Amino acid sequence: HSEKQIEFSSTFYLSLIFIVFIWLFVTWLVNRERVLGAFTVVQFVAGVHAFSLLGLARVYLDGLVSNQTLNLWTNVLVVAYIGTTYLAHYLLISEYELKPIYNRLFRVMIFVAWICYAIMAWGDTVLALRINLIAALLGPLLFLTSVVKGVHKSQDGISEKLPILPLRSLRVYYVILMMALLIVALPFLGVVQARELSLHAVY
């Protein structure tokens, strides 16, 4: 009964992720705006990532795909999820005119995904995933710092060239993202006991 509950909740959760993806994709088809397109890709990767990480891939692909292939696919998706997330947020925050140092930091963190893939190809998957986890934990901190200290003050004014989303709203969003990060990170650090929310909060 417990397994069925988990399977049902995971399937419902995955469906919600892909519903948001379809909504973003249709919106992007209308606007063809690059930031929206980037977040559409992130949402799709998040859905496929969840499909693997929540165990649904093993349920529905059992006998069709080997366990070794599923493990490799999951590891690739874990890295891709973080890499595409960095790229999407970089494109978003860049619209507020990022300062050069933060611009370089984002480029370095985006490149980390390729470093992780190189390490995986070298044969040390555990090290690659550890580096990827560190990148994931640093992400929201970099995002929040960037919108607080890393954009030019002139972007707080009103101009036709500015993004439609107010910078204050973006700061509130990244504070919420930091709270979600804590839910995920604290169990990894052994501060609190891991619960099911710790797995889902990242999405």
Side-chain angles (χ1 to χ4, degrees):
H1 177 69
S2 178
E3 288 177 352
K4 286 297 180 182
Q5 279 188 323
I6 294 173
E7 184 180 347
F8 175 78
S9 62
S10 298
T11 304
F12 175 79
Y13 179 62
L14 187 65
S15 301
L16 182 62
I17 292 178
F18 277 108
I19 287 171
V20 175
F21 160 71
I22 293 170
W23 168 59
L24 285 171
F25 181 67
V26 171
T27 307
W28 175 79
L29 286 176
V30 174
N31 296 329
R32 296 301 175 100
E33 204 276 326
R34 69 170 189 165
V35 174
L36 186 59
F39 277 97
T40 303
V41 173
V42 170
Q43 189 69 14
F44 176 77
V45 175
V48 183
H49 172 254
F51 180 70
S52 295
L53 200 64
L54 295 174
L56 294 173
R58 290 194 185 276
V59 173
Y60 295 109
L61 300 179
D62 185 35
L64 300 175
V65 182
S66 67
N67 289 336
Q68 291 80 4
T69 302
L70 285 175
N71 286 337
L72 175 61
W73 181 240
T74 300
N75 293 335
V76 169
L77 286 171
V78 167
V79 176
Y81 185 34
I82 303 304
T84 54
T85 297
Y86 265 107
L87 177 60
H89 286 277
Y90 170 62
L91 293 175
L92 172 63
I93 300 174
S94 292
E95 295 200 340
Y96 299 86
E97 196 178 337
L98 264 175
K99 294 178 181 177
I101 182 64
Y102 288 92
N103 196 34
R104 293 190 202 100
L105 282 173
F106 266 102
R107 291 176 182 269
V108 168
M109 297 308 293
I110 292 170
F111 188 68
V112 166
W114 296 107
I115 294 175
C116 290
Y117 282 136
I119 295 173
M120 288 172 62
W122 185 262
D124 197 342
T125 302
V126 174
L127 177 60
L129 293 178
R130 284 177 178 172
I131 294 173
N132 189 67
L133 176 61
I134 293 172
L137 296 177
L138 291 176
L141 182 60
L142 174 60
F143 304 156
L144 180 59
T145 306
S146 297
V147 295
V148 173
K149 296 290 186 180
V151 294
H152 292 284
K153 291 182 179 179
S154 61
Q155 298 299 302
D156 285 319
I158 299 175
S159 170
E160 290 183 358
K161 297 181 180 180
L162 293 183
I164 194 169
L165 184 66
L167 194 55
R168 294 186 191 90
S169 300
L170 201 59
R171 288 168 179 166
V172 171
Y173 166 71
Y174 284 127
V175 168
I176 295 172
L177 193 62
M178 279 291 296
M179 294 169 62
L181 171 69
L182 288 176
I183 296 174
V184 176
L186 291 180
F188 277 108
L189 299 174
V191 178
V192 297
Q193 184 178 0
R195 299 186 181 277
E196 191 174 352
L197 180 60
S198 303
L199 177 63
H200 298 319
V202 67
Y203 294 106

